[in-house]
Amino acid sequence: LGRPGVDCYCQHESGAAVLQLQFLINEGALVTACADDTLHLWNLRQRRPAVLHSLKFNRERITFCHLPFQSKWLYVGTERGNTHIVNIESFILSGYVIMWNKAIELSTKTHPGPVVHLSDSPKDEGKLLVGFESGTIVQWDLRAKKADFRIYYDEAIHSVSWHHEGKQFMCSHSDGSLTLWNLRNTTKPFQVTFPHGKIQKDGRKESCKPILKVEYKTSRSSEPFVIFSGGLSYDKAGRRPTLTIMHGKAITVLEMDYPIVEFMVLCETPYNNEVQEPYAVVVLLEKDLIVVDLTQSNFPVFENPYPMDVHESPVTCTAYFADCPPDIIPILYSIGAKHKKTGYSQKEWPISGGTWTLGSHTYPEIIITGHADGSIKFWDASAITLQMLYKLKTSKVFEKPKPGEGRAAELVEEDPFAVQMVSWCPQSRIFCVVGISAHIILYRFSKYDANTQIVSLEVRLQCETEDVISPSENENNPCFSEQGSHSPQPHHQHPASPGNRTPEGIKDSIPCLKVKDRVVRVPPGYQSELVIQLLWVDGEPPQQITSLDINSAYGLLAFGNCNGVAVVDYLQKTILLCMSTLDLYGAADPYQRLTRSPRRNRQSTSGLTELTDNQQSIDMERSKSPTSDHVNGHCTSPTSQPCSAGKPRVPMGPEGPRLTRRGPGRPPFRKAQSAACMEISLPVSHTEESRENSFSRSRSSSVSSIDRDTKEAVTTLQFGESYGRKSDALPTPCLWVGTSLGVVLLIPMSIPTDQEERMEEPVTIGPSGAVLMLKGSVLRFAFLDCMGALIQSPYEVWRDLNAPEDPDRPRRRKLVHFSPSSSQDACGDGHLAVVCSERQAKVFLMPSQSCLFVHNITESSFVLRADVVSVCNSVCLACFCANGHVMTLSLPSLRPLMDVNYLPLTDMRIARTFCFTNGGQALYLSSPTEIQRITYSQEMCDNLQEMLGELFTPIETPEAQNRGFLKGFFGGNAHTFDREELFGEAAAGKASRSLAQHIPGQGGVEGMKVAASGAVGELARARIALDERGQRLGELEERTALMMTSAETFSKHAHELMLKCKDKKWYQF
């Protein structure tokens, strides 16, 4: 991490845990020590850092590393207690080793334990302080190769820190104590403190937790700082992890939200023998990074410019918008800035390394994340960084459920507000949230605060349960009941069937959450206007919402679940339509469904054995569709035959279905787990393990429900200008409905155009128009003109409803329409409709409804996510399959453009969060805490290099302070220490080859690739080739010289031997 905007992500190929990091200060390199006992040297001078060298220890385990400032020799401590020395330039071990048995006295009977600390004395670089875990500390004279002094303390050591003068040092111990040692007398510490241990009544100290790390830093203008982590007394249960700052007599304890991994004090000087002048502490927590300002007495934290809290509450859904209106990001940022916490340090973020440019090809991008606690976060993702703009809490719309009672407590134990889906129109700034408790919240954006009364609509979108014993009583009643009080169309209401009498104690006609019914004051930003909730029916909880679309130009919102679809007029706050999927078909039902007759009772008693030929043939035909077998089995059946999800049906008596119906005892909701980005609910399963497996099992083509045909989930919805019927001459507003059986329905609507009429006259919804068919559950609709250009949905230009009235300029709705017939006259009227399902994509010509192109996307797998996106000035269909393939198809011809086996579906999280956007980009949650952005556009890849920040910017190394003559004279000959002389091959020899193995890294090759990609690529390659050739020639020359030397030596020896033996007789040999 550098200055805001400069951040970089690198991964070790081994996947081993990183134990320690050491910068080569001001050199543009970094040493990492990993748990697989390998050291790596990273080159940070290139935009994408790469490993230059690796060194793997074979016989010893690395425990601690130390690299002195401006030294090229790295000290490496091991578990066996030995200290090895590595040359950073060549990454080769020196022959110089400090063996543990030499470091301790011969009379010591026990092993001192692993090395936990290494540091050179600030007074003399030739003295190395080695700390062993058992409590032994040795100062090793590197020149004389012997110990200056040894300390044996009876408490285990965790860390050591020097005073800058080099006359004393401080240790932290496992009993929660700090000891201060003076080099004049090393027999005992001259100070022992228990910062958090109080003396109890019996005179003994409280037992304390270990102090895992201590830093002892001096300051010219004040007392020294002692900063440490841990050390609290054991008796305080539930205390949070702490960082303690002792400054003079003041002790400040900072409580952290997460466990502390590591902390580091930032000082003004890199030299360890100067006054340190600390100004900040960087604390790395398990899920956060904070920086504390030490220059102010109340120690405030700096505001972090990096997004460390993506997962503050677990992410349950994502949405990605590229090419937003350019004004939306500053507006959201300014509103979000007003809501930010106060109490931050006034100073600038102290980490300021690297440089960063926006790049010439950035455009406004926003990522929206929905969370388990009901919160929504808007992120600016315009460059390759992520910055939070604005946070919205959807739970504020509802009353808090009282603990131990209330509907929400009983239903969803932990997260009743979890976000399942979001729909956002950046142009009109209307925002819609779907929650797990079958609720939808509509928000409008305003720059002004307001007093508002939230309007609540309740919708009864639930199949009625009939009486099991007498199945023929309600034969002619549709399986749907309608909320009559809000419905302007009385012809949709039906008499209640005899089966829905409400016995005592069964929940009926109540929502899952209670909306606040009082006037509430809302701050600027997104303000809730309308809440729609689905109701319980006869003790059955409402089914989760699987699809949603909102259109600001029409003022309409449509949503569907596995029972049917509903349309709400959010301007007039009325329900326009509330129907089962079956009733939507009318006479145009593409399936010859069986008329329901008393035979149903025979089926329920005898299971699968009594299927008629007709039923069987329909089943066979339908099981070609992957989802006809699974989605419909998951919701409560509208007939008397509920499906028990994922299990084969067994023959049962007349009372059987009563037992399998989900009653109030079974968990009515499941966590946000779904197939097509939460558009299809998965089966409820009782165990965690079966929930993990339900994803693959639900896709099998075994048929578990007999009445499969009647349970058809609405999987996608889209408003748009289209032709509801073949005979239509002009486009009208339509709602496109896609179902889990691969059926597409068009519902034409008549919307008053005048503003006054729109607010008073009802919107009329005509009977269903066209019916189109595909294989598999429908995922996505899009509309193209006859030239193949994308037709945007009409929208209303944003206006602030809370702004003060201007009598000269009355506020009117300003609508933007993209008519399919206006963009081209030459091609005639009409438009193209792109429909993508889990198995195939089709392009239809409207209004004739003829299929122009069809492409079977996958036979063996199924599509999880499909989006129509613009890439390089044209439009394509991007698909992500469950087998990990990312595919793009041209539009409108549906020719495959790309098929990459990117990432097999290993986790439900990926299925839930994967989404594509314009510009050839996509994102998903790669882990619970990380958003992974990917691109499949060459243009984006080419621009990526210049968008990356420069990590290394060369700066002048500050000069060391001038040591006075007397100080230099009395303070020892610190500056005459030459490490090369001691550790080099000439003096120390070579280390054993079996001890560590050198592995050359890819860094040089990567550097060459980067250089080769630029304008000077050819030159760079030629220069590298010349260098390599020169190197090889040099090696050849050396080898030739060696051979000549050895030949000369041989001839000399041979000559000497000849002279020696010349005059000897044979018996003298």
Side-chain angles (χ1 to χ4, degrees):
L1 300 172
R3 67 174 67 247
V6 177
D7 54 7
C8 181
Y9 170 88
C10 309
Q11 174 117 24
H12 291 94
E13 283 179 13
S14 64
V18 181
L19 303 179
Q20 211 176 338
L21 304 170
Q22 286 269 316
F23 273 114
L24 276 66
I25 296 171
N26 215 18
E27 300 281 334
L30 173 77
V31 174
T32 60
C34 293
D36 59 353
D37 307 306
T38 308
L39 297 171
H40 303 276
L41 179 69
W42 292 81
N43 176 14
L44 305 183
R45 289 177 177 242
Q46 54 199 58
R47 291 189 172 198
R48 287 183 182 276
V51 174
L52 287 170
H53 299 282
S54 299
L55 186 69
K56 179 160 178 61
F57 281 72
N58 296 322
R59 297 199 304 243
E60 300 210 44
R61 309 223 61 181
I62 298 170
T63 52
F64 194 87
C65 300
H66 169 63
L67 180 68
F69 180 49
Q70 292 180 322
S71 159
K72 67 172 187 178
W73 298 94
L74 173 77
Y75 301 117
V76 182
T78 68
E79 199 171 53
R80 288 190 185 175
N82 303 326
T83 303
H84 299 277
I85 297 163
V86 178
N87 183 322
I88 287 297
E89 289 170 357
S90 62
F91 238 56
I92 292 172
L93 269 179
S94 161
Y96 193 115
V97 187
I98 304 169
M99 301 301 283
W100 67 271
N101 51 358
K102 299 278 197 309
I104 61 169
E105 283 174 319
L106 291 172
S107 58
T108 313
K109 290 184 176 146
T110 54
H111 188 278
V115 174
V116 292
H117 178 80
L118 293 166
S119 61
D120 45 338
S121 162
K123 200 162 65 167
D124 183 354
E125 292 172 337
K127 305 288 174 77
L128 184 71
L129 197 70
V130 185
F132 297 94
E133 191 178 68
S134 63
T136 303
I137 298 174
V138 176
Q139 181 164 297
W140 185 261
D141 187 328
L142 291 163
R143 298 183 198 86
K145 300 185 184 177
K146 65 179 181 63
D148 282 348
F149 62 80
R150 298 178 178 95
I151 292 170
Y152 299 99
Y153 193 65
D154 52 4
E155 281 299 334
I157 290 173
H158 283 285
S159 75
V160 182
S161 184
W162 281 97
H163 185 281
H164 80 272
E165 288 174 353
K167 294 175 185 172
Q168 55 189 40
F169 58 86
M170 185 178 281
C171 301
S172 73
H173 300 279
S174 56
D175 63 346
S177 66
L178 295 172
T179 54
L180 198 57
W181 299 81
N182 198 313
L183 297 197
R184 284 181 188 161
N185 177 14
T186 55
T187 52
K188 65 176 198 296
F190 80 83
Q191 190 182 332
V192 179
T193 52
F194 286 81
H196 293 302
K198 299 183 180 69
I199 296 174
Q200 294 169 327
K201 288 175 185 171
D202 56 2
R204 287 187 305 150
K205 278 266 167 53
E206 276 182 314
S207 60
C208 294
K209 294 175 187 174
I211 293 178
L212 299 176
K213 181 174 179 181
V214 65
E215 294 226 18
Y216 184 26
K217 299 294 179 188
T218 49
S219 169
R220 278 194 186 83
S221 55
S222 67
E223 300 274 325
F225 285 86
V226 175
I227 300 166
F228 61 88
S229 61
L232 288 184
S233 61
Y234 275 108
D235 68 333
K236 294 185 178 66
R239 280 288 291 270
R240 294 197 291 181
T242 58
L243 184 82
T244 307
I245 302 172
M246 293 166 63
H247 188 218
K249 290 184 179 171
I251 298 183
T252 307
V253 179
L254 304 176
E255 288 199 336
M256 304 295 165
D257 291 336
Y258 307 104
I260 296 172
V261 177
E262 173 70 287
F263 75 87
M264 189 171 91
V265 181
L266 303 183
C267 300
E268 296 286 357
T269 175
Y271 297 98
N272 66 348
N273 57 2
E274 295 178 4
V275 179
Q276 297 294 287
E277 295 293 353
Y279 58 89
V281 188
V282 183
V283 189
L284 177 67
L285 308 176
E286 270 184 14
K287 295 185 178 181
D288 206 353
L289 178 105
I290 62 164
V291 183
V292 181
D293 185 353
L294 291 179
T295 59
Q296 296 178 46
S297 57
N298 59 338
F299 304 127
V301 296
F302 289 90
E303 191 177 348
N304 192 337
Y306 304 107
M308 294 287 169
D309 53 353
V310 170
H311 54 286
E312 190 177 17
S313 165
V315 177
T316 51
C317 82
T318 56
Y320 191 6
F321 299 87
D323 276 338
C324 302
D327 59 338
I328 194 82
I329 289 177
I331 285 168
L332 284 171
Y333 183 78
S334 63
I335 295 286
K338 291 174 187 167
H339 296 185
K340 279 194 179 149
K341 294 176 191 163
T342 51
Y344 286 118
S345 170
Q346 298 301 307
K347 298 195 170 180
E348 269 189 32
W349 179 249
I351 301 164
S352 57
T355 54
W356 176 62
T357 53
L358 262 170
S360 53
H361 292 272
T362 54
Y363 40 79
E365 293 181 58
I366 285 182
I367 292 171
I368 299 176
T369 55
H371 300 262
D373 64 354
S375 61
I376 303 274
K377 290 181 180 175
F378 289 77
W379 305 86
D380 175 10
S382 302
I384 48 175
T385 57
L386 199 63
Q387 186 177 14
M388 195 170 93
L389 296 171
Y390 175 68
K391 182 177 175 181
L392 175 67
K393 289 183 181 170
T394 63
S395 56
K396 287 189 172 176
V397 170
F398 302 102
E399 301 284 2
K400 283 183 186 163
K402 292 184 180 124
E405 58 148 305
R407 300 185 285 264
E410 195 180 318
L411 294 185
V412 184
E413 317 73 60
E414 59 266 30
D415 299 319
F417 309 115
V419 178
Q420 266 186 299
M421 256 185 285
V422 294
S423 176
W424 186 46
C425 173
Q427 286 82 8
S428 63
R429 300 186 196 168
I430 280 183
F431 185 58
C432 226
V433 179
V434 174
I436 201 166
S437 300
H439 64 271
I440 300 173
I441 312 171
L442 177 81
Y443 288 90
R444 283 182 184 266
F445 187 82
S446 175
K447 293 180 183 177
Y448 304 91
D449 54 1
N451 294 318
T452 179
Q453 170 90 46
I454 302 163
V455 178
S456 175
L457 285 182
E458 293 176 351
V459 180
R460 195 180 173 93
L461 191 59
Q462 186 86 343
C463 301
E464 296 294 347
T465 52
E466 290 95 342
D467 200 301
V468 179
I469 311 298
S470 52
S472 56
E473 276 184 294
N474 47 9
E475 203 51 55
N476 301 319
N477 286 333
C479 66
F480 230 74
S481 149
E482 164 127 34
Q483 172 76 0
S485 59
H486 297 291
S487 172
Q489 265 99 1
H491 62 264
H492 283 312
Q493 294 175 38
H494 308 292
S497 64
N500 72 353
R501 288 186 293 273
T502 310
E504 277 305 305
I506 288 187
K507 295 178 178 173
D508 189 44
S509 299
I510 53 169
C512 300
L513 302 168
K514 188 174 186 312
V515 179
K516 288 178 180 171
D517 52 6
R518 58 186 185 278
V519 174
V520 287
R521 183 139 190 93
V522 285
Y526 272 104
Q527 301 168 351
S528 54
E529 182 174 287
L530 175 67
V531 177
I532 303 163
Q533 285 182 289
L534 298 189
L535 298 173
W536 280 69
V537 177
D538 272 358
E540 286 288 343
Q543 294 295 327
Q544 288 180 13
I545 293 161
T546 55
S547 53
L548 170 83
D549 192 36
I550 184 163
N551 189 288
S552 55
Y554 301 160
L556 299 179
L557 179 152
F559 61 93
N561 66 5
C562 64
N563 294 332
V565 67
V567 180
V568 171
D569 180 343
Y570 69 77
L571 296 175
Q572 294 186 20
K573 313 285 191 289
T574 55
I575 297 165
L576 300 172
L577 176 77
C578 181
M579 275 187 132
S580 76
T581 329
L582 257 182
D583 289 348
L584 282 177
Y585 288 120
D589 191 346
Y591 294 124
Q592 318 96 47
R593 299 180 202 249
L594 289 179
T595 55
R596 285 188 245 152
S597 69
R599 174 173 283 279
R600 282 185 314 164
N601 204 31
R602 289 180 60 197
Q603 286 178 0
S604 74
T605 53
S606 38
L608 289 172
T609 53
E610 295 258 349
L611 284 173
T612 60
D613 294 343
N614 183 19
Q615 174 80 39
Q616 240 166 354
S617 65
I618 293 174
D619 278 2
M620 293 304 292
E621 207 233 325
R622 290 295 254 343
S623 45
K624 289 175 193 166
S625 144
T627 24
S628 60
D629 345 346
H630 78 277
V631 172
N632 315 307
H634 298 344
C635 23
T636 317
S637 166
T639 67
S640 67
Q641 181 71 39
C643 141
S644 78
K647 298 179 185 137
R649 187 168 290 292
V650 291
M652 52 178 76
E655 284 301 310
R658 276 198 187 280
L659 303 174
T660 57
R661 181 181 308 139
R662 196 169 62 204
R666 294 247 329 252
F669 291 125
R670 44 236 167 250
K671 277 287 188 226
Q673 283 193 322
S674 67
C677 202
M678 297 171 65
E679 287 178 341
I680 296 152
S681 303
L682 291 180
V684 174
S685 35
H686 288 291
T687 62
E688 278 299 312
E689 178 244 345
S690 64
R691 195 166 77 212
E692 290 301 312
N693 299 335
S694 63
F695 189 63
S696 52
R697 201 188 323 124
S698 69
R699 291 280 163 182
S700 72
S701 53
S702 66
V703 178
S704 62
S705 168
I706 292 169
D707 308 286
R708 180 186 334 109
D709 356 334
T710 55
K711 294 179 297 298
E712 192 170 356
V714 175
T715 52
T716 185
L717 294 162
Q718 177 86 44
F719 286 108
E721 299 283 312
S722 189
Y723 302 85
R725 290 169 191 79
K726 289 185 181 180
S727 55
D728 287 2
L730 290 170
T732 56
C734 287
L735 174 63
W736 285 65
V737 181
T739 77
S740 54
L741 298 191
V743 179
V744 178
L745 287 157
L746 266 77
I747 303 175
M749 298 173 294
S750 171
I751 302 174
T753 48
D754 182 72
Q755 181 166 349
E756 279 73 28
E757 282 179 15
R758 176 67 188 87
M759 299 309 290
E760 289 156 19
E761 297 289 319
V763 173
T764 53
I765 294 181
S768 299
V771 176
L772 312 170
M773 296 287 296
L774 284 91
K775 276 196 284 186
S777 178
V778 182
L779 298 180
R780 182 69 66 230
F781 297 121
F783 309 118
L784 311 175
D785 63 24
C786 292
M787 307 292 287
L790 191 65
I791 301 171
Q792 301 286 345
S793 290
Y795 63 85
E796 176 190 358
V797 177
W798 175 72
R799 58 203 171 103
D800 199 332
L801 297 178
N802 296 340
E805 288 284 352
D806 184 352
D808 301 333
R809 294 172 63 197
R811 275 190 313 229
R812 296 187 66 80
R813 293 184 75 212
K814 186 180 172 191
L815 307 183
V816 178
H817 282 269
F818 302 90
S819 172
S821 55
S822 62
S823 53
Q824 73 289 339
D825 298 321
C827 303
D829 292 343
H831 72 90
L832 303 176
V834 181
V835 186
C836 183
S837 79
E838 288 182 324
R839 290 293 172 97
Q840 64 178 185
K842 286 187 178 181
V843 174
F844 296 95
L845 176 63
M846 305 300 289
S848 69
Q849 297 174 22
S850 51
C851 179
L852 300 181
F853 302 99
V854 62
H855 177 74
N856 290 323
I857 299 169
T858 174
E859 291 300 330
S860 57
S861 183
F862 54 94
V863 178
L864 278 167
R865 178 75 189 213
D867 288 294
V868 173
V869 292
S870 58
V871 184
C872 304
N873 303 322
S874 76
V875 189
C876 69
L877 174 66
C879 305
F880 173 56
C881 287
N883 60 8
H885 284 251
V886 174
M887 292 182 263
T888 56
L889 305 173
S890 67
L891 287 178
S893 56
L894 296 180
R895 286 196 316 275
L897 300 173
M898 180 188 80
D899 184 350
V900 179
N901 187 2
Y902 172 65
L903 168 99
L905 180 64
T906 51
D907 201 316
M908 277 306 309
R909 182 178 38 293
I910 298 169
R912 203 175 60 230
T913 56
F914 199 102
C915 50
F916 293 98
T917 189
N918 295 333
Q921 295 190 79
L923 70 78
Y924 60 93
L925 245 75
S926 55
S927 77
T929 61
E930 296 164 299
I931 293 176
Q932 177 71 57
R933 285 170 67 185
I934 61 172
T935 180
Y936 49 91
S937 151
Q938 188 58 48
E939 187 184 9
M940 185 72 183
C941 290
D942 296 343
N943 298 330
L944 203 57
Q945 193 64 28
E946 66 171 283
M947 287 164 71
L948 292 169
E950 289 279 2
L951 294 176
F952 177 68
T953 46
I955 57 164
E956 285 287 315
T957 302
E959 281 188 21
Q961 282 178 359
N962 216 347
R963 289 164 65 85
F965 169 73
L966 289 172
K967 223 176 210 180
F969 189 74
F970 294 115
N973 52 350
H975 286 275
T976 59
F977 178 59
D978 183 7
R979 292 187 177 93
E980 185 69 42
E981 211 173 275
L982 275 176
F983 307 145
E985 203 175 302
K990 285 186 176 178
S992 162
R993 279 192 180 177
S994 61
L995 187 61
Q997 171 192 356
H998 178 258
I999 306 161
Q1002 294 294 310
V1005 180
E1006 287 291 319
M1008 189 186 97
K1009 281 183 190 164
V1010 170
S1013 67
V1016 291
E1018 292 304 317
L1019 273 172
R1021 262 181 290 204
R1023 193 183 308 134
I1024 288 166
L1026 273 171
D1027 286 353
E1028 285 178 355
R1029 185 164 172 263
Q1031 201 175 332
R1032 282 199 292 271
L1033 282 170
E1035 285 170 6
L1036 188 68
E1037 209 172 298
E1038 280 173 21
R1039 276 205 298 273
T1040 313
L1042 274 169
M1043 282 168 72
M1044 281 175 72
T1045 314
S1046 65
E1048 272 177 25
T1049 315
F1050 180 75
S1051 71
K1052 190 175 156 192
H1053 280 298
H1055 187 68
E1056 283 173 1
L1057 196 66
M1058 185 267 293
L1059 290 173
K1060 195 175 172 186
C1061 304
K1062 190 171 66 168
D1063 299 327
K1064 286 188 178 181
K1065 298 282 185 284
W1066 64 268
Y1067 53 82
Q1068 288 178 307
F1069 281 103

